[in-house]
């Protein structure tokens, strides 16, 4: 079973395919439901990705800033 941070990275990369130019409007609750985890888990992971410069996350809109690094994180335990 993959770790939640790897699953979140993979999910964000999949959502990127439908992500509008300005970013994808999605809540932490929606991400948590998609990953079958608690919202607090998604909150901590999203802010970690934001602090690492992989995503921008503000007011329910996610933009991927470094897809290559995000892909490395997602592929870490395939």
């Amino acid at each position: 079973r993959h770790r939640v941070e790897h699953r979140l990275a993979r999910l964000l990369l999949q959502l990127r395919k439908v992500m509008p130019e300005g970013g994808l409007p999605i809540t932490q609750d929606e991400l948590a439901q998609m990953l079958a985890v608690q919202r607090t888990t998604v909150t901590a992971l999203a802010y970690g990705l934001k602090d690492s410069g992989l995503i921008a996350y503000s007011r329910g809109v996610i933009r991927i800033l470094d897809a290559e690094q995000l892909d490395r994180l997602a592929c870490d335990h395939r």
Side-chain angles (χ1 to χ4, degrees), residues 2-73:
H2 298 286
R3 294 177 62 177
V4 177
E5 55 266 32
H6 302 150
R7 292 175 26 220
L8 176 59
R10 175 60 47 208
L11 176 61
L12 292 175
L13 290 169
Q14 290 171 342
L15 292 173
R16 180 178 182 215
K17 297 173 185 174
V18 297
M19 194 175 288
E21 180 84 17
L24 181 67
I26 192 164
T27 67
Q28 292 175 353
D29 284 328
E30 291 168 328
L31 289 172
Q33 288 175 12
M34 291 175 169
L35 295 169
V37 298
Q38 294 181 357
R39 186 190 54 78
T40 54
T41 301
V42 171
T43 300
L45 293 173
Y47 281 108
L49 294 175
K50 182 179 178 179
D51 291 344
S52 297
L54 302 181
I55 66 170
Y57 188 70
S58 178
R59 298 182 188 248
V61 177
I62 295 177
R63 286 185 300 117
I64 294 176
L65 302 177
D66 192 338
E68 187 175 308
Q69 285 291 98
L70 199 59
D71 188 53
R72 283 191 203 122
L73 177 62

